[in-house]
Amino acid sequence: MEERHMDLRSMSYEELQEKLVREGEKPYRAGQLFSWLHKEHAASYEEMTNLSAALCERLAKNYPLCTLKTLAMQEAKDKTRKYLFRLPDGETVESVYMRYRFGVSVCVSSEVGCRMGCKFCASTIDGLTRKLSPAEMLEQVYAITRDTKEKVSHVVVMGMGEPLENLENVLRFIALLTDERGLNLSARNITVSTCGLVPEILALAEKKLQINLAISLHAPTQEQREQLMPVAKRYPLDMLMAACRDYYEATHRQLTFEYALVKGDNDSKEDALRLAALLGELNCMVNLIPVNPVKECGLSPTDKTDVLNFKKLLEKNRIHVTIRREMGREIDGACGQLRRRKA
Ligand code: SAH
């Protein structure tokens, strides 16, 4: 994205300051504006009471603020909320708010739709329309903060889209989330999930961020993975595992492998043993997710006892395992259930 086309909310503090000074403003204005944008989560320039009316007017005219309009909100019994947001150009995305004992987590979409084609996921059904800007990702977090009046402590980039296909904007998004003059999140409270784009995993490794990287693995062999995830043809399993090792070498951050359990497909005893062998040497953990129902996909989740047996087998082979809590399933707000909707 060229800077001159960039939304003010997508800009770093330094970029914002440079722009304002170039337009004849005092440098300290950047601090005020940045704080309104990223700390107060302002939805309009009129709210920015310490800026002159003339400046607010000029900014509003030249740089319309990226704000999201809530088109719908559903709340589940466990208080998980799913939001349908309208973006400035009329496209829509879904985001999820989750309340845990340790804080509030928001699941952010990184693209409108997705073109990765995973066989179990609703986000990919209508393909990809476009990537989201940093401001559009931030606004999902800020709009939810405005609505719930709760401070967001964790962000997971696990909504619609493939974040590493939109790496440049996702990196800006992370930098702004962790800026101490803004929301000031700890990088350790941010998780990015990828279906396994190898060059981008390596590029991300070089940044040496303290974020959590989750890899959507979902199968222990190349053959099985290809059936579930077309991206595996482009980046085969051995290449992906090599990239994961490089990522760990560069960052020393424990990796998470997500594994959606599909009944009769990737949930046998042999699958568990192959998975343990595949991951054996890595410092990692496995997050098991009984596959969430998506009617177009027609896959069934593994039965509860089989999920527990799969977990036990992995643990017997010294793999650290968690089972993902199914939050928001009844409002189609769980993993793989977000989708493009008509405004
Ligand atoms: N594109 C990224 C992030 C989006 S999805 C990625 O692939 O990782 C977040 C997680 O939900 C991924 O691990 C994804 O594979 C998983 N997922 C998708 N559909 C699912 C479903 N129906 N049930 C359970 N998990 C699913």
Side-chain angles (χ1 to χ4, degrees):
M1 202 183 337
E2 275 182 72
E3 205 207 297
R4 68 198 163 90
H5 297 308
M6 211 188 273
D7 187 286
L8 294 188
R9 225 194 291 260
S10 288
M11 288 187 178
S12 71
Y13 185 91
E14 291 72 23
E15 288 166 342
L16 195 62
Q17 188 164 61
E18 218 186 290
K19 184 170 205 80
L20 290 177
V21 169
R22 231 186 294 135
E23 297 188 7
E25 296 295 329
K26 294 270 186 301
Y28 73 89
R29 289 285 176 217
Q32 295 175 324
L33 184 55
F34 194 88
S35 178
W36 282 113
L37 293 175
H38 299 288
K39 208 169 183 152
E40 310 299 332
H41 313 129
S44 72
Y45 288 107
E46 287 95 82
E47 291 169 38
M48 305 183 184
T49 44
N50 56 358
L51 303 184
S52 73
L55 177 59
C56 288
E57 222 169 90
R58 189 159 56 79
L59 291 175
K61 186 164 151 260
N62 296 339
Y63 310 107
L65 259 197
C66 167
T67 47
L68 303 188
K69 186 168 181 267
T70 305
L71 295 177
M73 194 277 281
Q74 289 169 275
E75 189 173 85
K77 284 198 282 297
D78 62 14
K79 301 288 176 205
T80 297
R81 289 177 169 200
K82 183 174 75 169
Y83 289 85
L84 175 65
F85 288 124
R86 201 186 102 107
L87 302 167
D89 69 350
E91 292 293 340
T92 64
V93 287
E94 294 190 311
S95 320
V96 181
Y97 153 95
M98 290 162 284
R99 203 145 155 211
Y100 294 94
R101 256 169 301 150
F102 58 73
V104 167
S105 177
V106 171
C107 176
V108 169
S109 290
S110 56
E111 296 181 319
V112 180
C114 186
R115 60 189 187 107
M116 295 296 124
C118 298
K119 295 288 186 276
F120 38 78
C121 185
S123 301
T124 201
I125 290 171
D126 292 320
L128 175 74
T129 303
R130 68 173 176 87
K131 301 171 182 184
L132 296 190
S133 69
E136 288 170 329
M137 289 183 258
L138 286 166
E139 258 294 293
Q140 296 171 56
V141 178
Y142 298 169
I144 289 176
T145 306
R146 288 196 289 269
D147 189 49
T148 60
K149 307 200 169 40
E150 287 173 336
K151 187 174 155 56
V152 172
S153 58
H154 291 69
V155 168
V156 297
V157 191
M158 290 194 178
M160 275 196 285
E162 168 48 45
L164 295 197
E165 195 180 50
N166 190 14
L167 183 56
E168 199 185 318
N169 288 347
V170 168
L171 287 173
R172 263 181 185 276
F173 170 60
I174 294 169
L176 286 163
L177 280 178
T178 53
D179 194 302
E180 53 196 23
R181 294 156 292 201
L183 194 56
N184 193 18
L185 276 195
S186 158
R188 290 169 180 264
N189 290 3
I190 300 173
T191 301
V192 172
S193 178
T194 178
C195 64
L197 304 185
V198 166
E200 286 77 13
I201 291 173
L202 297 176
L204 184 59
E206 275 176 32
K207 306 283 178 197
K208 301 192 196 295
L209 301 179
Q210 292 299 299
I211 60 165
N212 308 300
L213 182 65
I215 309 281
S216 298
L217 191 61
H218 304 318
T221 65
Q222 171 64 16
E223 210 184 2
Q224 284 165 294
R225 195 159 187 272
E226 263 184 41
Q227 296 298 314
L228 289 172
M229 306 176 73
V231 70
K233 297 195 187 94
R234 204 160 19 125
Y235 302 115
L237 192 54
D238 48 356
M239 203 193 249
L240 175 60
M241 295 313 295
C244 290
R245 284 190 288 274
D246 289 348
Y247 187 87
Y248 181 78
E249 280 308 307
T251 62
H252 292 283
R253 298 287 297 157
Q254 177 182 267
L255 286 158
T256 298
F257 289 96
E258 293 154 295
Y259 196 102
L261 285 161
V262 182
K263 192 177 185 161
D265 185 311
N266 60 359
D267 61 349
S268 72
K269 205 174 144 188
E270 290 68 37
D271 291 323
L273 293 173
R274 282 194 197 108
L275 181 60
L278 183 71
L279 303 180
E281 303 299 311
L282 262 171
N283 181 352
C284 67
M285 57 168 284
V286 172
N287 195 205
L288 296 175
I289 322 163
V291 78
N292 291 308
V294 171
K295 71 173 187 304
E296 293 88 337
C297 304
L299 301 174
S300 309
T302 300
D303 297 330
K304 209 165 183 167
T305 50
D306 293 331
V307 174
L308 292 174
N309 287 334
F310 199 92
K311 177 172 185 267
K312 273 191 210 140
L313 252 180
L314 289 175
E315 284 170 340
K316 228 173 113 185
N317 287 275
R318 293 184 305 279
I319 305 279
H320 189 62
V321 189
T322 55
I323 299 177
R324 188 168 295 179
R325 264 168 73 194
E326 268 334 315
M327 299 180 82
R329 205 193 241 183
E330 90 251 25
I331 54 170
D332 278 351
C335 303
Q337 295 185 311
L338 304 187
R339 60 173 74 214
R340 281 173 60 188
R341 291 178 200 277
K342 291 265 172 304

